Amino acid sequence: MFETILIALGAFSVNVSISVAQLFLALLIVFSAVKLYKTKDFTVLNDWPAKFFILMAASQLTSAFAGINPSVSLSAVTSTWTYLYLFACMILFDGKNLNRVLAAFFAGSILNAFSGIYDVTITGMERAIGYYTHALTYGNAAAVVFIAALGLSFFVKFKDLKLRYLIYAAAVLSLIALIFSGSRGPILSTLLTVFLLSIYLYRLKAVAVISVLVVGFALFTASSPDFRKKLMTDRERQVGTTSASSVGTRIVLWKAAVKAISERPVFGFGSGTFKEYVDKNVTELVLSKAHAHNSYLHYAYSNGLLGLALLTGFIVSLFRYIIRRSKEYPPAKAAIFVLLVFLLEGLTENNFGDSEVVMLTMLLLAVLTARVGQNKNL
């Protein structure tokens, strides 16, 4: 029971505070280690997602020592620990109290959505950030929450009406928050995920559903000059050169990442060194240098093609685990699309290295794929 309370508090905090969420993660890791010691049940650690994650961690350490600035890279590698939300919750959570944990998670997401909506409508901020550090982070998280709520609404008919309405409210508010974030990558990732979800649910009928969504999005864009400007006229808001636009910056950084990978293809440059590389090798004016704005390219830059291969193995094995679980546990069907939108977001943003988004997503995936128990209220 105490473990469930910790998970529920973690589920709430991943939406509202990165430091508190990390505190609960530390506690969950301790409790999961104790449980492993007492039960000697290493099923989770023996499965392929955990094996690939361990290999990924070893690869990152190797790349840190072999990279261009080991002291910086070793410090940056520590952010990987936030992925342990997945394994700690897999070990501790049996699904019997799914309703309580989901209620805490979506209550936190609703609070965060209101905070972002307040940012734009009351304080006059250009883009919503809620309790997060950046509008893109906020958009990525809102997209994950929306897809989770939407998926659960279709795949699970909760007998608890309060929870059902809480999920509906979270779906609506997180969608509004996503739009208010002004983050195109998460918005497009959400649209594509909804399209694939519609295909999964309705097959050919999905065409009609997507048509409605596209028309609705087009009407909203046409009726909102500020939002239309954000989406359509990126290159007009440049500083002397197209590379200083949002899209232009990404193109420059993607090219730089590809060039860097070709220079050190095996072990990469080490985590946390991308800005150093860009400062030395990129002459164009860009808006950001912190990362490659593509999770896959950035991971390959940091850890080489070997690291990217291990990351791919982790993703594929996690997908396979979730799909297997979905055949007997309905909430896991929603987890398929949660992981999908998270991966799509990685095409335009380094969300794999964003602790706020990672913790939220990994906890959610573990909760939606509880390994042992079946919830009698489903």
Side-chain angles (χ1 to χ4, degrees):
M1 182 63 180
F2 184 67
E3 295 167 349
T4 300
I5 293 174
L6 282 181
I7 294 172
L9 291 173
F12 180 85
S13 65
V14 292
N15 290 283
V16 299
S17 172
I18 184 173
S19 57
V20 175
Q22 289 176 334
L23 171 63
F24 282 113
L25 172 57
L27 292 173
L28 290 170
I29 291 173
V30 171
F31 275 85
S32 62
V34 171
K35 184 174 181 177
L36 288 175
Y37 176 77
K38 289 183 177 180
T39 64
K40 303 296 190 275
D41 180 5
F42 299 101
T43 304
V44 170
L45 299 184
N46 288 331
D47 210 348
W48 279 108
K51 291 179 180 178
F52 273 114
F53 179 77
I54 293 170
L55 291 173
M56 285 167 57
S59 172
Q60 286 183 321
L61 285 174
T62 302
S63 295
F65 284 111
I68 61 174
N69 196 334
S71 61
V72 171
S73 296
L74 286 172
S75 176
V77 164
T78 58
S79 64
T80 305
W81 85 294
T82 54
Y83 280 83
L84 293 178
Y85 249 121
L86 175 67
F87 303 109
C89 290
M90 278 183 170
I91 292 168
L92 294 174
F93 189 63
D94 64 5
K96 294 178 181 178
N97 293 293
L98 177 66
N99 289 23
R100 293 181 181 180
V101 174
L102 287 181
F105 177 85
F106 286 115
S109 71
I110 287 173
L111 190 61
N112 196 16
F114 272 123
S115 177
I117 293 170
Y118 177 86
D119 289 340
V120 175
T121 59
I122 305 299
T123 65
M125 292 175 58
E126 181 182 355
R127 301 174 66 182
I129 63 172
Y131 296 112
Y132 291 159
T133 55
H134 193 278
L136 269 173
T137 297
Y138 186 68
N140 283 323
V144 170
V145 172
F146 170 69
I147 292 300
L150 186 67
L152 287 172
S153 298
F154 280 109
F155 295 124
V156 184
K157 300 302 180 184
F158 292 96
K159 296 179 181 178
D160 185 341
L161 292 180
K162 291 182 180 179
L163 176 60
R164 190 185 300 183
Y165 294 141
L166 187 70
I167 292 173
Y168 295 160
V172 173
L173 291 171
S174 61
L175 179 59
I176 296 172
L178 170 60
I179 294 171
F180 279 16
S181 75
S183 302
R184 286 163 293 183
I187 290 173
L188 293 174
S189 298
T190 299
L191 289 173
L192 182 54
T193 304
V194 170
F195 171 73
L196 295 173
L197 175 61
S198 300
I199 293 292
Y200 180 89
L201 289 169
Y202 302 116
R203 304 299 188 270
L204 294 177
K205 294 180 181 178
V207 175
V209 175
I210 298 304
S211 298
V212 171
L213 289 173
V214 170
V215 170
F217 185 75
L219 290 174
F220 175 81
T221 302
S223 64
S224 175
D226 291 338
F227 187 66
R228 185 170 63 253
K229 180 181 179 181
K230 172 62 187 171
L231 288 178
M232 304 301 181
T233 61
D234 182 81
R235 291 187 181 275
E236 293 178 9
R237 294 178 292 103
Q238 36 187 288
V239 185
T241 174
T242 56
S243 66
S245 67
S246 178
V247 174
T249 289
R250 281 168 169 77
I251 292 174
V252 170
L253 296 181
W254 292 346
K255 290 179 179 178
V258 170
K259 181 176 181 295
I261 293 167
S262 68
E263 294 173 3
R264 298 172 68 99
V266 180
F267 296 116
F269 287 74
S271 301
T273 64
F274 190 75
K275 183 179 184 300
E276 183 178 347
Y277 178 86
V278 172
D279 284 338
K280 293 179 179 179
N281 296 279
V282 174
T283 58
E284 293 96 332
L285 180 64
V286 293
L287 293 176
S288 171
K289 300 178 181 180
H291 50 74
H293 283 281
N294 178 295
S295 289
Y296 308 95
L297 289 177
H298 189 82
Y299 201 88
Y301 163 87
S302 299
N303 306 295
L305 296 178
L306 174 61
L308 181 62
L310 294 173
L311 173 66
T312 302
F314 171 71
I315 292 170
V316 171
S317 62
L318 185 55
F319 252 126
R320 291 184 63 186
Y321 168 78
I322 294 173
I323 290 172
R324 290 199 310 269
R325 191 72 182 103
S326 68
K327 295 177 180 178
E328 58 186 21
Y329 194 58
K333 293 181 180 180
I336 295 173
F337 296 94
V338 167
L339 180 56
L340 180 60
V341 75
F342 177 73
L343 297 176
L344 289 172
E345 290 170 343
L347 294 172
T348 57
E349 187 61 25
N350 185 36
N351 61 321
F352 292 6
D354 193 330
S355 296
E356 291 165 298
V357 183
V358 168
M359 289 192 295
L360 183 148
T361 304
M362 293 300 117
L363 181 146
L364 192 55
L365 291 176
V367 167
L368 294 177
T369 57
R371 295 173 56 247
V372 181
Q374 296 288 352
N375 190 309
K376 63 182 180 180
N377 294 316
L378 297 183

